């Protein structure tokens, strides 16, 4: 009974200070003024919609999230596919967006294992720059390699080439990549191409940042007060943050950080 949920809501104004915030919101219930002692920013992040590798121009090219959804639904386009290629670091670790999205390597390995579970004969290729399956996720990387998921490394200045070619009267989706070990170009004809698209800041990050006077990092995510000493606090007293609003992270890390933010808020609210 003490939890109030406002869906489809926009914040029109945020004023006040620690212990005495006033936030005006506009929702389907109308305009309301909320008085509160602490604020937790958990606005999440978004998936980058690629402009490269024929995404949006060929329906066989998907993002990793879209592939994951099709695997979960058991769609025929996935179950019938004889080969699947995945390209990592799409839209990140480059000049204009130089951070790592952190979740993509583990997600691609997980999807690859699921595809192999459907059909061990399915050809699955992961074209990567650096595999970053950190922590115990390294075990899944080894498992994928043992199940003959092929890992091919590429250099940022020699990215894979994706094109549609005519072969045997069919329009074939072809991925050409330089194999770093062989020192030769390899052409892979594939039924599906999954792009590990970057995790980008929420579209509302700028707006929320100005409302609650919380600075953003150079990458556009909300900035913590101190990376080691105050990881869920912001420079504004009484405003805390967690989840992907702070930086790309796995669900388990987002949950742990949410506990931290809740703990900090409770510590504050325990005072008069």
């Amino acid at each position: 009974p003490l939890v109030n949920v406002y869906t489809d809501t926009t914040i029109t104004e945020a004023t006040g200070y620690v212990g005495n915030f006033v936030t005006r919101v506009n929702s389907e219930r109308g305009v309301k003024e909320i008085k509160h002692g602490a604020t937790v920013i958990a606005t999440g992040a978004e998936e980058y919609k690629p402009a490269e590798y024929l995404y949006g121009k060929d329906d066989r090219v998907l993002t990793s999230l879209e592939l994951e959804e099709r695997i979960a639904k058991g769609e025929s386009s996935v179950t019938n596919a004889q080969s699947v290629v995945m390209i990592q670091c799409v839209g990140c670790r480059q000049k204009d967006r130089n951070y790592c999205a952190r979740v993509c390597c583990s997600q691609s390995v997980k999807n690859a294992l699921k595809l192999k579970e459907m059909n061990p004969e399915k050809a699955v290729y992961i074209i990567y720059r650096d595999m970053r399956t950190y922590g115990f996720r390294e075990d899944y990387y080894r498992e994928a390699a043992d199940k003959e998921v092929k890992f091919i490394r590429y250099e940022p200045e020699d990215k894979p080439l994706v094109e549609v070619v005519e072969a045997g009267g069919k329009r074939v989706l072809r991925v050409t990549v330089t194999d770093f070990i062989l020192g030769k170009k390899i052409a892979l004809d594939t039924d599906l191409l999954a792009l590990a698209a970057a995790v980008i800041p929420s579209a509302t990050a700028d707006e929320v940042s100005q409302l609650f006077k919380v600075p953003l990092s150079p990458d556009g995510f909300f900035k913590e007060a101190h990376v080691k000493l105050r990881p869920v606090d912001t420079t504004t007293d009484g405003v805390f943050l967690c989840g992907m609003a702070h930086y790309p992270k796995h669900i388990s890390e987002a949950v742990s950080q949410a506990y931290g933010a809740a703990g900090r808020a409770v510590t504050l609210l325990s005072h008069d």
Side-chain angles (χ1 to χ4, degrees):
L2 294 177
V3 176
N4 295 285
V5 178
Y6 291 81
T7 56
D8 199 17
T9 302
T10 51
I11 297 172
T12 54
E13 190 185 6
T15 56
Y17 48 90
V18 56
N20 192 23
F21 290 110
V22 180
T23 302
R24 289 174 70 85
V25 298
N26 191 0
S27 71
E28 54 201 11
R29 303 193 211 172
V31 177
K32 180 166 173 63
E33 197 171 83
I34 301 169
K35 292 180 179 175
H36 54 111
T39 305
V40 177
I41 293 173
T43 51
E46 293 176 15
E47 184 189 39
Y48 164 68
K49 291 300 175 198
E52 51 268 77
Y53 301 126
L54 301 182
Y55 181 79
K57 295 173 185 155
D58 191 304
D59 57 9
R60 292 169 291 183
V61 182
L62 325 160
T63 64
S64 291
L65 272 182
E66 290 164 352
L67 173 67
E68 192 173 85
E69 197 174 342
R70 288 195 191 186
I71 292 171
K73 289 178 178 172
E75 288 189 16
S76 58
S77 60
V78 172
T79 50
N80 297 337
Q82 292 305 302
S83 72
V84 179
V85 172
M86 303 176 189
I87 300 177
Q88 302 303 108
C89 299
V90 177
C92 61
R93 298 185 68 209
Q94 58 192 35
K95 219 169 207 173
D96 60 334
R97 198 180 287 116
N98 64 6
Y99 59 89
C100 168
R102 291 185 69 204
V103 297
C104 323
C105 287
S106 303
Q107 186 192 26
S108 292
V109 167
K110 180 195 68 178
N111 287 344
L113 285 170
K114 211 69 181 158
L115 291 166
K116 282 289 188 182
E117 196 182 292
M118 285 177 174
N119 176 9
E121 300 303 309
K122 209 184 284 280
V124 182
Y125 301 88
I126 297 180
I127 302 174
Y128 70 97
R129 276 179 58 187
D130 304 284
M131 283 311 291
R132 294 183 170 182
T133 47
Y134 57 91
F136 292 114
R137 294 179 182 88
E138 188 76 12
D139 294 340
Y140 295 111
Y141 167 65
R142 292 175 194 279
E143 187 187 337
D146 289 343
K147 289 186 175 172
E148 296 194 356
V149 172
K150 299 285 189 294
F151 292 88
I152 303 169
R153 183 168 165 239
Y154 76 93
E155 291 289 337
E157 59 275 3
D158 187 12
K159 291 184 177 180
L161 172 70
V162 178
E163 55 192 343
V164 176
V165 295
E166 292 287 339
K170 288 183 179 175
R171 286 167 55 78
V172 176
L173 190 61
R174 181 168 292 169
V175 181
T176 309
V177 60
T178 304
D179 187 295
F180 189 72
I181 296 164
L182 296 176
K184 291 181 178 178
K185 286 202 178 290
I186 298 176
L188 305 169
D189 290 351
T190 184
D191 298 318
L192 287 175
L193 173 62
L195 307 178
V199 175
I200 58 172
S202 162
T204 60
D206 270 341
E207 196 182 322
V208 175
S209 158
Q210 288 165 22
L211 283 164
F212 289 98
K213 300 171 185 64
V214 176
L216 298 176
S217 71
D219 298 327
F221 294 95
F222 288 94
K223 194 169 168 55
E224 72 286 329
H226 190 287
V227 70
K228 288 185 177 175
L229 304 179
R230 298 171 68 201
V232 296
D233 291 56
T234 66
T235 50
T236 303
D237 283 347
V239 180
F240 309 102
L241 63 99
C242 64
M244 279 208 184
H246 170 230
Y247 208 69
K249 52 178 68 72
H250 287 283
I251 291 173
S252 56
E253 293 165 5
V255 170
S256 298
Q257 200 182 16
Y259 275 119
R264 292 291 293 125
V266 167
T267 306
L268 174 69
L269 299 177
S270 65
H271 301 303
D272 285 346

